[in-house]
Amino acid sequence: MKFFIDTANLAEIAEANDLGVLDGVTTNPSLMAKEGIKGKDNIFAHYVKICNMVQGDVSAEVIATDYQGIIAEGEELASLHENIVVKVPMIKDGIKAIRYFSEKGIKTNCTLVFSAGQALLAAKAGATYVSPFIGRLDDVSTDGLALIEQIVTIYDNYGFETKVLAASIRHVMHLVQCAEIGADVATCPLNVITGLLRHPLTDIGLEKFLADHKKVNS
Ligand code: G3P
């Protein structure tokens, strides 16, 4: 399972990368805005900074919502760095653009996916990744993890190569359950990745080991 970090914050990306377990980064327009990155040149420069920090795919989302606009923006984004994955929303023109990018060898991440039918369409179009949003489904009383399970089954049934990238992960159990289901990738905030470290028995056990060592070594 690959771990991506879902942020545009360079310090958080550096911290996850330093841990040695990071396989890539996903961003979206909200995450870029949260960092105060504005204007095309600054946004593009920020993507390049991220690509130079991490070895692995970096999703950069298009703002255009029409076919020609998505193609133009996606090609520009893809030319920034070989690790850029063009993130395209699950809309009609987005699907057409994913087909186009797929034929051109440009990697894509189909985002804002909330149903198995949408995921099937993204795979048919040749998306590299599909991003179902677990947390946002849970927010509206729908089982986000059940969607991950459905998509994994459908892709396995037909050998689709599109990778299931579980997104909108809110806590450690989301991540662990995605791993049980067999999601290819999970993109998480930093606190979810570092949250995997925590167990009170680890802390208690370590404290005792160190105390016992000190008793006979001081
Ligand atoms: O990057 C897309 C997704 O991970 C957003 O998550 O927490 O805003 O629902 P969230």
Side-chain angles (χ1 to χ4, degrees), residues 23 27 35 44 85 107 131 137 142 149 159 213:
D23 301 299
T27 62
E35 299 308 314
F44 280 22
V85 174
K107 287 182 280 186
S131 286
L137 279 169
T142 303
E149 206 157 1
H213 174 82

Side-chain angles (χ1 to χ4, degrees), residues 3-154:
F3 281 7
F4 289 0
I5 188 165
D6 196 27
T7 185
N9 182 285
L10 299 181
E12 290 181 3
I13 293 169
E15 190 178 333
N17 204 33
D18 280 353
L19 205 52
V21 299
L22 194 65
D23 301 299
V25 180
T26 53
T27 62
N28 63 40
S30 303
L31 294 170
M32 294 294 275
K34 193 174 162 196
E35 299 308 314
I37 320 288
K38 56 183 173 189
K40 188 178 162 186
D41 289 350
N42 291 330
I43 290 171
F44 280 22
H46 200 76
Y47 287 139
V48 173
K49 271 187 207 162
I50 295 173
C51 288
N52 289 333
M53 288 172 73
V54 175
Q55 281 194 335
D57 286 346
V58 174
S59 287
E61 190 159 340
V62 296
I63 303 301
T65 55
D66 64 291
Y67 179 71
Q68 290 302 342
I70 296 172
I71 298 298
E73 208 182 327
E75 285 186 331
E76 243 187 307
L77 285 168
S79 72
L80 292 175
H81 194 281
E82 60 181 356
N83 290 349
I84 289 282
V85 174
V86 180
K87 206 171 178 187
V88 180
M90 167 45 76
I91 53 175
K92 193 174 178 183
D93 281 14
I95 287 297
K96 286 165 61 181
I98 287 170
R99 163 55 58 205
Y100 170 88
F101 289 135
S102 161
E103 279 161 16
K104 295 268 285 189
I106 293 174
K107 287 182 280 186
T108 54
N109 175 355
C110 184
T111 189
L112 290 166
V113 166
F114 293 94
S115 77
Q118 290 178 325
L120 181 55
L121 199 55
K124 287 288 292 177
T128 313
Y129 297 100
V130 66
S131 286
F133 280 27
I134 304 175
R136 292 192 196 183
L137 279 169
D138 287 359
D139 288 345
V140 294
S141 307
T142 303
D143 187 349
L145 285 163
L147 176 61
I148 300 295
E149 206 157 1
Q150 247 185 316
I151 298 171
V152 167
T153 302
I154 290 169

